[in-house]
Amino acid sequence: MSSASSLGPHRIVFANEKGGTGKSTTAVHVAVALAYQGARVATIDLDARQRTMHRYFENRAETMRRREITLPTATFEVYGGDSIEELDALTERLSQDHDFIIFDTPGRDDVLARHVATRADSLVTPLNDSFVDFDLIGQVDAETFKVRRLSFYAELIWEARKKRAMATIKDARREMDWVVVRNRTGYTEARNQRRIDQALTELSKRVGFRVASGLSERVIYRELFPSGLTLLDKGHLGELGTSHLVARQELRTLVSGLNLPMPGKAAPETKLESAA
């Protein structure tokens, strides 16, 4: 398949209509990880009220200025309008000189979030390991924990992927790779863990998403926000404990699991499974 740059920038959309899933933290760390690999990264924060991703990069820029250091970073924008056309115009402008465009969306149902999600090359949906979060993509039987039906969100993405599959052949567009990232907020009881595993496996076969390991809830992520630093900024974080090193390895595993096409390399192939 073609490289990331030959088809324009690869669009990564972090989307989940539920808040508190580590979406912005994950988005920032992926953006910085790509920048460390030499990619030109732009970010668009669609949550004009919270602006978590945008504020993170503002803090990063301030830290570089204050410490007189240079760190890999991203071009960062926040879009506060309500016009899809204006958002597309901003995206097109950033597309001219970037390899990746990363969108961080609000933790609620939002027209602009739906728009960018259905046009993503990589759609990343972080979920906490609980059936409260699983309900975003599918409903399970209360007794058997078998998947009873798809959620509205899963159906929306399924339809978008079907349209993209046709456009892939007709217009030489990329297929959409939907990745559900399992973030962990704390201890999950073993039996409940198995039930979630089974439900995700079942649903992934029906709608064609992949499952990747995400990040655990750690104080370090909250502590890094004011400075805009990430776990990849070795030499600028001070002395790291064992938990910090484990968290860094989690991040590396996550970025690897996203299977993103770096400029000049072949893009990963994705397949659209049949829906039940």
Side-chain angles (χ1 to χ4, degrees), residues 233-249:
D233 299 314
K234 295 184 292 184
H236 302 283
L237 300 175
E239 186 175 349
L240 297 180
T242 302
S243 64
H244 296 168
L245 297 177
V246 172
R248 182 184 290 165
Q249 185 56 47

Side-chain angles (χ1 to χ4, degrees), residues 9-236:
H10 192 88
R11 298 186 184 191
I12 310 172
V13 178
F14 287 82
N16 186 322
E17 293 181 359
K18 293 180 181 291
T21 59
K23 179 166 49 61
S24 298
T25 298
T26 307
V28 167
H29 276 74
V30 168
V32 172
L34 291 171
Y36 262 107
Q37 295 180 59
R40 300 168 300 169
V41 183
T43 66
I44 301 177
D45 195 333
L46 295 182
D47 192 342
R49 288 185 291 183
Q50 294 290 333
R51 299 187 177 211
T52 302
M53 182 170 68
H54 190 262
R55 288 283 298 122
Y56 208 117
F57 281 110
E58 281 185 333
N59 293 344
R60 189 173 183 82
E62 173 59 22
T63 293
M64 286 192 283
R65 186 198 64 77
R66 187 177 63 254
R67 297 188 185 183
E68 298 182 341
I69 59 176
T70 300
L71 296 170
T73 190
T75 301
F76 52 98
E77 300 276 356
V78 60
Y79 181 71
D82 55 11
S83 166
I84 289 177
E85 290 74 23
E86 289 180 3
L87 174 58
D88 284 344
L90 172 60
T91 303
E92 181 60 30
R93 176 168 62 81
L94 292 173
S95 296
Q96 303 306 313
D97 51 6
H98 291 92
D99 303 305
F100 292 91
I101 300 182
I102 296 179
F103 297 84
D104 189 23
T105 62
R108 61 181 183 273
D109 185 18
D110 179 87
V111 172
L112 297 179
R114 288 190 192 181
H115 174 70
V116 297
T118 58
R119 286 156 178 77
D121 298 310
S122 294
L123 175 64
V124 183
T125 303
L127 293 180
N128 294 326
D129 255 0
S130 76
F131 279 109
V132 174
D133 276 29
F134 184 88
D135 194 65
L136 172 78
I137 55 177
Q139 299 176 16
V140 298
D141 184 271
E143 299 296 333
T144 66
F145 292 93
K146 293 286 187 180
V147 177
R148 290 193 295 121
R149 63 173 66 94
L150 305 184
S151 71
F152 173 79
Y153 186 79
E155 290 178 345
L156 172 72
I157 301 305
W158 167 248
E159 290 299 325
R161 294 185 77 232
K162 284 200 298 184
K163 292 178 182 177
R164 278 291 288 275
M166 291 184 286
T168 299
I169 300 172
K170 180 181 177 182
D171 304 324
R173 293 186 64 187
R174 302 182 186 97
E175 294 183 43
M176 180 195 294
D177 185 23
W178 185 12
V179 187
V180 172
V181 171
R182 297 179 65 178
N183 288 334
R184 290 169 172 79
T185 57
Y187 173 75
T188 303
E189 190 265 331
R191 185 173 60 176
N192 190 56
Q193 183 81 44
R194 288 195 300 271
R195 288 169 173 169
I196 294 173
D197 288 342
Q198 293 168 359
L200 278 172
T201 299
E202 179 186 348
L203 193 56
S204 69
K205 293 176 180 177
R206 291 173 61 175
V207 296
F209 60 75
R210 298 188 294 114
V211 180
S213 297
L215 308 178
S216 299
E217 173 67 15
R218 299 180 187 276
V219 175
I220 183 63
Y221 293 117
R222 295 191 292 272
E223 291 178 340
L224 289 174
F225 176 79
S227 66
L229 295 176
T230 74
L231 287 165
L232 298 173
D233 299 314
K234 295 184 292 184
H236 302 283

